[in-house]
Amino acid sequence: MTEAIDIRGVQILPGYLDRPTQEQMAEAIRAVIRAAPLVTPVTRWGKPMSVRMTAAGAYGWISDRGGYRYAPQHPAGMAWPPIPEPVLAVWRAVSGCGRMPECCLVNWYGPDARMGLHQDRDEVDFTAPVVSISLGDDGLFRIGNVARGGSTESIWLRSGDVAVLGGAARLIHHGVDRIRPGTSTLLGAPGRLNLTLRVVR
Ligand code: SIN
Ligand code: MN
């Protein structure tokens, strides 16, 4: 791992996970996806998002015509699988938080997927950070401000990088403009997996 990078209070830990740990985590997430298949969320207006999602933990974050919210079950009705241990280990090491995460959101970016600038603000307790783990192809991560608008800064997140959005940066706007398909050999197919860990209640 190289030194942490601070962008507007977001702590980025480049190369935090070594390759064997990334492989172990990718395998664990494949098992999560087998138990709780990826879905294409739609907005309240029925527009499909380009990122496909599932989750592990007590809650998953879902979006459908009823709006977006945390839910204790996958849209198909099953409970979310438990958060894999290697993922929890990252939280213990970097979160500085006494509570354990209740949601590991799994975002799958195919070659053309993106995620617009947004805040993570559907949780109850903003003293707990959001911890984000990148696996697979590079993703161009954009960081704005806590308030809407203003300037932004971007950084390519690579496989094994961890980002922590905590403290004054907990509610910062962030998004992913695009991925660079084929830049990682980890997943054996073009695409990017992002895991975000959150305390929900
Ligand atoms: C997110 O904000 O949920 C995902 C961030 C990322 O994909 O890096
Ligand atoms: Mn987010």
Side-chain angles (χ1 to χ4, degrees):
M1 182 176 77
T2 50
E3 235 173 278
I5 300 170
D6 181 319
I7 301 181
R8 303 185 176 193
V10 177
Q11 300 297 321
I12 293 161
L13 310 172
Y16 183 83
L17 302 174
D18 63 19
R19 175 75 183 211
T21 309
Q22 292 174 45
E23 283 168 0
Q24 185 190 24
M25 207 175 278
E27 203 41 57
I29 296 304
R30 282 195 182 96
V32 166
I33 293 171
R34 280 194 296 273
L38 291 165
V39 297
T40 299
V42 299
T43 65
R44 190 185 290 277
W45 300 277
K47 184 180 184 302
M49 298 183 185
S50 59
V51 174
R52 297 167 72 205
M53 296 182 185
T54 187
Y59 296 96
W61 186 89
I62 62 171
S63 180
D64 57 23
R65 283 180 171 274
Y68 51 79
R69 61 202 177 272
Y70 281 102
Q73 290 174 346
H74 185 279
M78 64 287 234
W80 306 102
I83 302 177
E85 184 52 40
V87 178
L88 292 174
V90 174
W91 174 271
R92 283 192 204 95
V94 308
S95 71
C97 179
R99 297 183 61 185
M100 289 307 282
E102 296 164 311
C103 175
C104 172
L105 183 66
V106 177
N107 290 141
W108 168 254
Y109 295 76
D112 297 316
R114 56 183 299 278
M115 189 180 289
L117 270 188
H118 66 277
Q119 292 171 296
D120 287 11
R121 54 177 307 155
D122 301 325
E123 303 76 29
V124 173
D125 179 4
F126 296 137
T127 65
V130 174
V131 171
S132 154
I133 301 170
S134 293
L135 296 172
D137 288 339
D138 303 352
L140 186 57
F141 190 60
R142 185 187 290 270
I143 300 168
N145 306 283
V146 173
R148 278 179 71 132
S151 67
T152 65
E153 287 175 62
S154 295
I155 181 170
W156 283 100
L157 293 180
R158 308 194 61 208
S159 194
D161 291 358
V162 171
V164 183
L165 284 66
R170 173 63 179 77
L171 289 172
I172 206 157
H173 284 80
H174 58 280
V176 174
D177 288 355
R178 59 193 165 93
I179 74 161
R180 223 158 28 189
T183 41
S184 165
T185 56
L186 183 75
L187 304 175
R192 171 174 184 262
L193 271 177
N194 174 261
L195 314 178
T196 46
L197 297 165
R198 309 188 182 109
V199 174
V200 173
R201 296 294 156 201

